[in-house]
Amino acid sequence: MYTLFTFPFIAKPASADCIFAFGTKTFQGTSVTMKVSSDMIQKMHQEAEKVWTPELFKVLKETKKPFLNVIYDGEPLGETFWDNVVLVGDVAHPTTPHCLRSTNMSILDVAVLGKCLEKFGAEKLRLALEEYQFIRLPVTSKQVLHAR
């Protein structure tokens, strides 16, 4: 798989500053969207021309004011519940947007969780959450890794 840009990213709480890097430059601010310099645009064009189709590259070249969004994901989790807390959606399996999986996986999380709760009932919550994790974790872990 080809990665056009890699962004080492250190996240802090939403109200704090974020620190992120592009190549050898480090930026600090409260946003992970940034304007790009002409040098960055030139590098982007050079890299994209090597791997993108001519039609897609033309779209990139004709974009008047490109910007960068820092995209990050996480390692697949080993667990999706603790005690009576269960993770669903992006917090359970953060993926990059390239493969368009996030919403579908979130909907399936809730559907499977609902079926597990229906099957075991509130009195056997731990069993319901264990089954949810057993069903969803292998699937979502595979999807997180594939989206890279």
Side-chain angles (χ1 to χ4, degrees), residues 61-107:
K61 285 280 280 192
E62 292 176 359
T63 301
K64 300 288 184 216
K65 294 182 180 181
F67 60 90
L68 295 177
N69 280 325
V70 177
I71 298 172
Y72 59 98
D73 66 1
E75 293 300 319
L77 299 178
E79 299 176 291
T80 55
F81 81 95
W82 299 266
D83 299 321
N84 64 346
V85 176
V86 62
L87 303 178
V88 298
D90 289 347
V91 71
H93 40 72
T95 63
T96 59
H98 305 97
C99 295
L100 303 173
R101 288 176 162 75
S102 180
T103 302
N104 290 333
M105 290 191 328
S106 299
I107 292 168

